[in-house]
Amino acid sequence: MHRHDGNNPDRASIRAYDLILRHIHDAETVEIYLPTALTRVEPGAPPTIESVGPGSESGVSDGGSTLTKQVGRVAVASAAALAFGELVSFGQTIALARLLSPTEVGIFAAGTVLTMLLTTFVEGGLRSGLVQRETEVADTAETVFRASLVNGLAMTLGALAAAPLIGMIFHNRTIGLIAATTSGFLLIFALTNVPEALLQRDFSVKRRIVVGPAVSVSFAVVSVALAACGFGVWSMVIGSYASYVVWVITVWWLARWRPGRGRASIRLWRELARYGSPVVVNMLGARVQSTVEAAVVGRGLSSAALGHYRYGQRIAQIPVRFIVEVGAFSLFPAFARIAEERDPARMEAAYLRAIRLTTVGAAALSGLIIALGEPAVVVVFGERWREAGALVVAMAGLGLGKAWMSVSEEAIKGVGRTKLLNWQTATEIVVGLGLLLVLVKHFGLVGVGLATSGTMLVVAVLVTTLARSAMGISLPALLRAVGPPLPAAVLALAATWYLEHQVLHSDSRPILLAIGLLTLDTIVFMLIYLLVLGVLAPEVIRGFARLTGRLTPRRRRNDASGTAIPRNAEPGPSRETN
């Protein structure tokens, strides 16, 4: 793996982001890219393409198609690693729900509310600036590292000083102690900024295969073990520290970057701050909204209600994490590279393809959550978590809204129009707080979920409109991309809701039978969804079939051609792909 020190890579590397864009583009209108070129990055200069002739010693020309399939298989492995991490995370959530009470979970959520807010200032938009940077990468990385340490130390001391105030706000001394103890998260988090940015620049597949599962497993093992031993809420605190330490160790090991390989400068910091400040303001809106929600629920309702809120939010965000981790992580650098080529038609095709794919998945997940969210939570977590199940249903709009918002955010950042995100932040705060105060008064905890869903959908429409305007995409083209999955999801939702709530009643059955009935509900939903989607947008189904075919390993053909890539082979480093 290439060391990010600003020196020439020791071996040529494939412009692998083109391979990812190959799957973003519509295959009917865009020619499939095969890697017949190598990229070399000179210090302080943007990448250039060097063609490789048939006689090249690199062997890439003859094995280009095989390498394309290899990268596709690695992408599948990355998605599988993400699924594994989510399964581990979901498993520990179930275990902790059985071992801890909603009140204990709520106390932890209240104690960490300030820490989660201040992570935005630790990151400071510097990570996005480093990902987007094309020149002076080594010096920029050194600048980001030092600025992140200063930010992390300042935020840690600030959180420690404010901890008693947190305890007073929630009228709970334990919450204040947890706020003080978890302030150290911020300094550890600061250490991840540079390696995470460099891995994102390279679309690092290993980052997804190693880091995510390692962090999930470390938290699960430590927190569940300590909870079983009677540590209560402190099991989650210690488990969180363990996962942060594992996070730092793994990203530094994978990035192979070390301080001192560049020269930090005030000039670079100012440039990064100018680029990243709108990103910080954008992230701050969501953090402020989440903080206020936790304060309103914990102070206005109860610690138990905050526990239901925390777990309901966690479950509702499972599809969101898939959307962000799989999509946005790769889309930002991919969109940035397309923008550099100044090809509006290619940018439009990539954006529409990406938002179409995310809408297909998010619409289905949101429909399933509405139809099966409450009975599923009761079956898996137990009857005492039914309120969390109702909250999950109320927050179903989170997945669909985040799908549109994440793709549009990354496109806006990719074309360098980050100031547009200020509109998102202002809308998120005004609409979010307004809906929260109105709905929580009338609907209690469920009102919090409805406010979250409503805010996310309103902001998603706004950000999508801004992205469409920035790229010059027509409204009919956008509606053709996102429209068909919505009626398909509504019809599947209606049929599945009736089947579950009027016929099967899985949450009143023994657990094994209940799981079987929920599985039947899911199968029925997906069959109806895909059938209707196939009628309304058959090209979407054909597109998924083509994508599946491209990602399917064809070892016989590789073996026959003699170009199979060794099992331990990996894509080249520089400007690569996660």
Side-chain angles (χ1 to χ4, degrees), residues 248-498:
V248 170
I249 292 173
T250 51
V251 293
W252 278 73
W253 170 60
L254 289 176
R256 298 186 182 180
W257 177 87
R258 300 295 180 267
R261 295 178 175 177
R263 294 182 179 180
S265 71
I266 298 297
R267 174 185 62 82
L268 286 174
W269 176 80
R270 287 174 177 168
E271 292 177 6
L272 292 168
R274 281 196 298 269
Y275 175 85
S277 55
V279 178
V280 173
V281 174
N282 169 49
M283 292 188 296
L284 187 60
R287 296 288 190 184
V288 168
Q289 182 187 357
S290 178
T291 301
V292 173
E293 287 174 355
V296 168
V297 174
R299 175 71 183 267
L301 299 177
S302 66
S303 294
L306 184 55
H308 285 295
Y309 167 76
R310 173 65 178 260
Y311 264 31
Q313 185 184 52
R314 185 181 185 88
I315 297 166
Q317 286 183 341
I318 289 176
V320 174
R321 286 195 292 274
F322 271 98
I323 292 167
V324 174
E325 294 292 321
V326 174
F329 187 90
S330 297
L331 287 178
F332 172 35
F335 283 148
R337 301 294 83 76
I338 298 176
E340 290 166 11
E341 297 169 6
R342 302 185 182 278
D343 186 346
R346 191 181 183 198
M347 188 70 179
E348 177 178 349
Y351 174 79
L352 292 176
R353 178 68 168 168
I355 201 168
R356 175 194 293 173
L357 292 176
T358 54
T359 302
V360 168
L365 290 169
S366 293
L368 275 171
I369 287 174
I370 294 174
L372 307 177
E374 184 173 345
V377 170
V378 173
V379 169
V380 175
F381 292 89
E383 180 64 34
R384 66 178 176 175
W385 291 93
R386 183 176 288 276
E387 284 188 68
L391 182 66
V392 167
V393 174
M395 298 179 74
L398 198 62
L400 186 59
K402 190 62 179 179
W404 293 341
M405 195 168 72
S406 64
V407 175
S408 299
E409 277 182 353
E410 303 312 317
I412 288 172
K413 289 190 289 185
V415 298
R417 300 285 300 278
T418 54
K419 289 185 178 180
L420 291 175
L421 297 177
N422 292 336
W423 288 100
Q424 172 187 349
T425 304
T427 304
E428 197 164 23
I429 293 176
V430 173
V431 175
L433 297 184
L435 286 178
L436 176 65
L437 296 176
V438 171
L439 295 178
V440 74
K441 180 179 179 180
H442 297 285
F443 301 101
L445 186 60
V446 171
V448 179
L450 293 174
T452 301
S453 287
T455 302
M456 182 62 69
L457 291 172
V458 169
V459 173
V461 171
L462 171 66
V463 178
T464 302
T465 301
L466 293 174
R468 182 179 70 83
S469 174
M471 292 178 288
I473 298 174
S474 68
L475 180 60
L478 178 63
L479 294 178
R480 284 194 298 270
V482 303
L486 303 182
V490 170
L491 291 175
L493 160 63
T496 307
W497 189 94
Y498 181 85

Side-chain angles (χ1 to χ4, degrees), residues 121-169:
F121 296 98
V122 174
E123 197 273 341
L126 300 175
R127 183 183 301 180
S128 297
L130 179 53
V131 172
Q132 191 264 354
R133 191 81 182 182
E134 283 299 321
T135 59
E136 301 177 284
V137 175
D139 293 345
T140 303
E142 188 69 23
T143 302
V144 171
F145 175 72
R146 296 188 185 186
S148 297
L149 280 183
V150 172
N151 291 346
L153 181 59
M155 293 301 107
T156 296
L157 295 176
L160 183 61
L165 179 61
I166 298 298
M168 292 172 59
I169 290 175

Side-chain angles (χ1 to χ4, degrees), residues 193-264:
N193 253 2
V194 171
E196 281 283 13
L198 294 175
L199 291 172
Q200 187 175 359
R201 283 175 60 87
D202 286 354
F203 295 85
S204 172
V205 173
K206 284 185 176 180
R207 192 265 176 232
R208 285 292 175 259
I209 293 176
V210 175
V211 179
V215 170
S216 297
V217 170
S218 60
F219 178 81
V221 170
V222 174
S223 61
V224 171
L226 294 178
C229 294
F231 278 71
V233 65
W234 294 100
S235 64
M236 301 181 74
V237 175
I238 300 172
S240 297
Y241 265 109
S243 64
Y244 269 91
V245 171
V246 169
W247 184 10
V248 170
I249 292 173
T250 51
V251 293
W252 278 73
W253 170 60
L254 289 176
R256 298 186 182 180
W257 177 87
R258 300 295 180 267
R261 295 178 175 177
R263 294 182 179 180

Side-chain angles (χ1 to χ4, degrees), residues 89-99 311 380-381:
S89 179
F90 191 60
Q92 61 86 11
T93 300
I94 296 173
L96 290 177
R98 300 282 181 172
L99 293 168
Y311 264 31
V380 175
F381 292 89

Side-chain angles (χ1 to χ4, degrees), residues 497-506 509:
W497 189 94
Y498 181 85
L499 176 65
E500 168 57 31
H501 294 271
Q502 301 299 320
V503 179
L504 299 180
H505 303 288
S506 61
R509 312 290 184 179

